């Protein structure tokens, strides 16, 4: 398997995984088949479309290569059919989502570096590629965006993209180290979910008296 | 009337129609004149701006040709003035919206094909051009996006864009067949609204006992 | 200080100011440190990324120049630390936000004109550059977008961008007149906030009887 085949395979796996996460969220919102497929496709392709726009690869791969849209739509439709089984496998979905985060972080950062974006910008683009689909999914379904929840999500992607940029700087952007970087993001996300790691929250002053309601 | 004049006319008609739909939604939300014009302009130009970005026609037509912004703003302001009469003509607005969906599907798909986007991608771009404005309108006004409601909307656009791609493949992308394609989308949307056609919804298991409330 | 240094300084000041406004909104929503920085960065860089995409300056400056992301992230993190003091300085935040609106209106319109966008389109792009960050901030935090509230906001930016386009047409796009244009937007926004200026709202028919509540 050549490098570019490996990258394509990683990218399409990420697409399928995010399509499944988007479709699951849409089924939970009682959307119909078309709505489920639509949210799945947005979650799967949204981050990559943004990435390709900012690195001037137009038309974006999601439109230039039919396999992207096909992988997203077929996966989302399959989730629509199979959702009762998937519901029992909630943990599996979280695991797959973390895998997608790792895959897209690596492919997004690499593509930005290949397009001669400076390192800091490439890390940002890699992170946005990885988190963009989930953001679109949550905005469409009216949920609090996962990147804003008190979890390690965007930060796992950003940490992974920094690793990729460092590997690239030292000429180590080869299969094994990149796979390790994707695995690092994957494990960081999973362990933080498991251990409920989170960042600090700003302390607001308590109200002076105890008479205020919960919205006070 | 030449082909390009016809396309411009079709495009500007779509702009005006979507501006009217956005402005009506904004009036219903009690926004002020500026808010109404803003939502109208987003609904009218949003889909086309996305289309032009992904086919690398920059600056997008909405910024390159002042008639687009003018048509959107003037129509939205007119709706602000005339809304009590329009409210009575709710059916008319739905009909015009369906007409806009048909027009933008055809012009969006054609432009993507002209920019050498492969057929599957061009169909997606045509669909997004047609539904993008309504999506922006609904996100801004806090409504459930129309594409996610249990109605035939995005699918009508997608079906129309496939027709346009087939016509183009067989060298039939001429005025009469394209007008027929736009009319097809228009009628498909209207008939499905009338007959309340919709796609299936995933069946969730009923709760074991009858004691849960409607949110159970 | 050369013109381009002055423009960079104006741009980075706008970035910091909008990062502070986004971070403050996120602290108020009880987001954690990462969420606060994320919303701050979106508010600071969102408008400029859109601007650069539509004028085909890719990669957008927010990714090409690390100082943009750094200014946004550092400011947002500082607000997270300092927010109790800032809360008392609510007026200061509004003043800084108005200053950012003026700065981004001028730099956005100028960049679009430099990219040979026609005047009407350049004014729209300048306005969107100025209001885009606040729009992203409000969509992420679930607030009614500031551009849709009954306040002079987008219109102040649009008025300023028209002034910049006129100055440019007459060869007067030099430091002093441009500073005056930014100041004009700044003051227009502040005075309208102070005097509660707003645009008219469409009159809806009152209900026939007086029994309906305020939401009737």
């Amino acid at each position: 398997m050549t490098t570019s085949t490996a990258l394509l395979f990683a990218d399409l796996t990420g697409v399928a995984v995010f399509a499944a996460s988007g479709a699951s969220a849409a089924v939970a919102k009682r959307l119909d088949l078309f709505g489920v497929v639509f949210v799945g496709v947005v979650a799967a392709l949204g981050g990559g479309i943004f990435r390709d726009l900012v690195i001037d690869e137009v038309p974006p791969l999601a439109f230039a290569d039919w396999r992207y849209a096909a992988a997203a739509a077929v996966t989302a439709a399959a989730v629509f059919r199979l959702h009762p089984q998937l519901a029992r496998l909630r943990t599996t979905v979280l695991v797959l989502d973390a895998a997608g985060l790792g895959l897209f972080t690596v492919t997004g950062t690499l593509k930005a570096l290949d397009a001669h974006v400076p390192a800091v910008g490439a890390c940002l683009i890699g992170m946005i590629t990885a988190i963009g689909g989930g953001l679109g999914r949550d905005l469409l379904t009216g949920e609090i965006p996962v990147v804003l929840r008190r979890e390690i999500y965007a930060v796992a992607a950003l940490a992974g993209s920094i690793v990729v940029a460092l590997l690239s700087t030292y000429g180590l952007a080869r299969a094994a180290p990149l796979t390790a970087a994707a695995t690092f993001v994957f494990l960081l996300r999973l362990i933080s979910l498991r251990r409920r790691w989170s960042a600090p929250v700003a302390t607001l002053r308590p109200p002076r008296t105890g008479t205020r309601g919960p919205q006070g």
Side-chain angles (χ1 to χ4, degrees), chain A:
Chain A
M1 194 158 67
T2 66
T3 306
S4 83
T5 311
L7 263 181
L8 178 68
F9 182 76
D11 227 22
L12 285 178
T13 307
V15 163
V17 164
F18 277 119
S21 84
S24 302
V27 166
K29 289 279 173 179
R30 312 284 294 127
L31 298 183
D32 68 10
L33 173 60
F34 299 141
V36 168
V37 172
F38 187 81
V39 176
V41 169
V42 168
L45 305 181
I49 291 173
F50 182 84
R51 173 199 66 203
D52 290 348
L53 284 177
V54 298
I55 66 174
D56 211 15
E57 175 157 327
V58 283
L61 218 47
F63 302 117
D65 185 337
W66 64 270
R67 290 174 293 189
Y68 281 75
V74 167
T75 306
V79 167
F80 182 81
R81 287 281 300 162
L82 304 172
H83 71 97
Q85 289 89 320
L86 279 176
R88 285 184 207 143
L89 302 174
R90 189 185 174 77
T91 310
T92 310
V93 171
L94 278 177
V95 171
L96 288 172
D97 188 77
L101 197 74
L103 292 166
F104 274 9
T105 296
V106 171
T107 60
T109 311
L110 275 185
K111 283 187 191 221
L113 290 168
D114 283 353
H116 305 294
V117 178
V120 172
C123 290
L124 278 178
I125 291 173
M127 181 189 80
I128 296 173
T129 306
I131 69 176
L135 193 57
R137 175 195 66 205
D138 293 339
L139 287 177
L140 278 178
T141 56
E143 291 291 314
I144 298 171
V146 61
V147 293
L148 300 184
R149 287 177 215 150
R150 294 183 192 166
E151 297 168 7
I152 303 289
Y153 192 78
V155 167
L158 188 61
S161 68
I162 292 171
V163 171
V164 173
L166 289 174
L167 289 174
S168 179
T169 302
Y170 294 103
L172 296 166
R174 287 191 293 264
L178 291 175
T179 306
T183 309
F184 164 67
V185 174
F186 171 70
L187 291 176
L188 180 56
R189 167 71 177 149
L190 281 192
I191 295 173
S192 70
L193 265 180
R194 178 106 192 194
R195 307 215 167 170
R196 300 181 185 282
W197 284 347
S198 67
V201 175
T203 47
L204 294 179
R205 305 271 170 76
R208 299 264 166 80
T209 68
T211 54
R212 286 237 215 134
Q215 308 212 351

